[in-house]
């Protein structure tokens, strides 16, 4: 059974950074791309970007370009999402999600979510 | 960016009802359309991928159709556990945009 286990909730000050981790269990880590999706309170889902650990390539939504960095550490089989220059609007649940190995690109497994609260 | 528009934004239905949710893309996305179900406080769950393929383990009362710009998610007979919010998502290009969601509530 595949599980994506994320790090715990964070409370951050405006202007600071947060780094959330995502560790898949089951499957070969480098065989699957990982994306990050966030959900502000009471709002919908927003794709932030993703990484393909096998190729080491990343892709970011324009909205987050320059503020988000997605990385993968193959030695620990862990993916990370770091968001900088935090503001109150970044308060959200952040999910990692795994891309199925398919030409159609869909998220077949999701992490449990990490609540990031930005507050002074 | 490709805009995904779902309708309705919410609906009320009874157990046993047939429910249809539509999703429209701002440009053709061929069959690169996925549907997810989300319950409060939980991560989304994949229901349908590639517009009409049922994810393993998902009940057959869920079905998807469409291609190009217009897509439909149908629940043939609504069950108590189906009350949730449903999102479509295009995977044709990045950013991989979601619809705004459709909340299915108990009538």
């Amino acid at each position: 059974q595949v599980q994506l286990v994320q790090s715990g909730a964070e409370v951050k000050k405006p202007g600071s950074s947060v780094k959330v981790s995502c560790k898949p269990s089951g499957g070969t880590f480098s065989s699957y791309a990982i994306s990050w999706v966030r959900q502000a309170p009471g709002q919908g889902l927003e794709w932030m970007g993703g990484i393909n650990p096998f190729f080491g390539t990343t892709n970011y939504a324009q909205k987050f370009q320059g503020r988000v960095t997605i990385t993968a550490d193959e030695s620990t089989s862990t993916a990370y999402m770091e968001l900088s220059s935090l503001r109150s609007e970044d308060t959200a649940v952040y999910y990692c999600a795994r891309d199925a190995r398919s030409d159609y690109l869909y998220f077949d497994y999701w992490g449990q979510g990490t609540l990031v609260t930005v507050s002074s | 960016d490709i805009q995904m528009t779902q309708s309705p934004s919410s609906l009320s239905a009874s157990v046993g009802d047939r429910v249809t949710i539509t999703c429209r893309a701002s440009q053709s996305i061929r069959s690169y359309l996925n549907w997810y179900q989300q319950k409060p406080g939980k991560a989304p769950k994949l229901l349908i991928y590639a517009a009409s393929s049922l994810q393993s383990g998902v009940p057959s009362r869920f079905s998807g159709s469409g291609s190009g710009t217009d897509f439909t998610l149908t629940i043939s007979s609504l069950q108590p556990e189906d009350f949730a919010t449903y999102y479509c998502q295009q995977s044709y290009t990045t950013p991989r945009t979601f619809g705004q969601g459709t909340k299915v509530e108990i009538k």
Side-chain angles (χ1 to χ4, degrees):
Chain A
Q1 176 72 352
V2 175
Q3 283 192 303
L4 277 63
V5 180
Q6 299 184 220
S7 49
E10 304 260 14
V11 179
K12 293 292 182 181
K13 299 284 190 191
S16 67
S17 298
V18 68
K19 192 169 185 177
V20 182
S21 67
C22 170
K23 186 174 174 63
S25 63
T28 303
F29 177 71
S30 61
S31 298
Y32 298 91
I34 297 286
S35 278
W36 290 87
V37 175
R38 78 176 187 179
Q39 185 171 38
Q43 302 300 308
L45 302 168
E46 184 174 34
W47 181 83
M48 301 177 67
I51 186 166
N52 185 317
F54 184 81
F55 295 109
T57 53
T58 53
N59 204 327
Y60 301 123
Q62 183 71 24
K63 174 178 179 177
F64 300 101
Q65 283 276 3
R67 276 211 308 145
V68 69
T69 304
I70 297 173
T71 55
D73 184 340
E74 288 208 47
S75 67
T76 58
S77 299
T78 303
Y80 298 92
M81 186 283 300
E82 184 170 22
L83 188 63
S84 62
S85 303
L86 289 169
R87 36 214 189 221
S88 58
E89 309 89 89
D90 294 319
T91 293
V93 176
Y94 290 76
Y95 295 101
C96 62
R98 190 188 84 164
D99 261 320
R101 293 177 69 178
S102 163
D103 290 340
Y104 279 94
L105 297 175
Y106 51 92
F107 301 136
D108 58 352
Y109 291 97
W110 294 68
Q112 82 276 18
T114 296
L115 175 62
V116 175
T117 303
V118 182
S119 173
S120 54
Chain B
D1 298 359
I2 296 177
Q3 306 301 317
M4 306 300 294
T5 304
Q6 289 181 232
S7 61
S9 297
S10 65
L11 64 91
S12 295
S14 300
V15 172
D17 283 354
R18 181 182 182 89
V19 168
T20 299
I21 299 168
T22 63
C23 178
R24 175 164 288 176
S26 60
Q27 67 183 73
S28 176
I29 56 171
R30 295 165 59 186
S31 294
Y32 289 82
L33 191 283
N34 310 312
W35 290 97
Y36 300 90
Q37 176 195 65
Q38 188 180 32
K39 296 181 178 179
K42 299 294 186 181
K45 172 189 171 183
L46 177 68
L47 299 176
I48 301 284
Y49 63 93
S52 61
S53 295
L54 190 68
Q55 171 68 350
S56 176
V58 174
S60 59
R61 63 181 179 274
F62 291 93
S63 64
S65 64
S67 67
T69 59
D70 293 309
F71 302 87
T72 299
L73 173 70
T74 299
I75 310 172
S76 61
S77 177
L78 198 66
Q79 297 301 300
E81 60 268 30
D82 300 337
F83 292 96
T85 300
Y86 294 83
Y87 293 93
C88 62
Q89 182 216 18
Q90 64 83 16
S91 57
Y92 182 70
T93 188
T94 56
R96 293 162 63 174
T97 41
F98 290 86
Q100 81 278 17
T102 295
K103 188 173 183 179
V104 176
E105 298 175 300
I106 301 172
K107 194 177 213 177

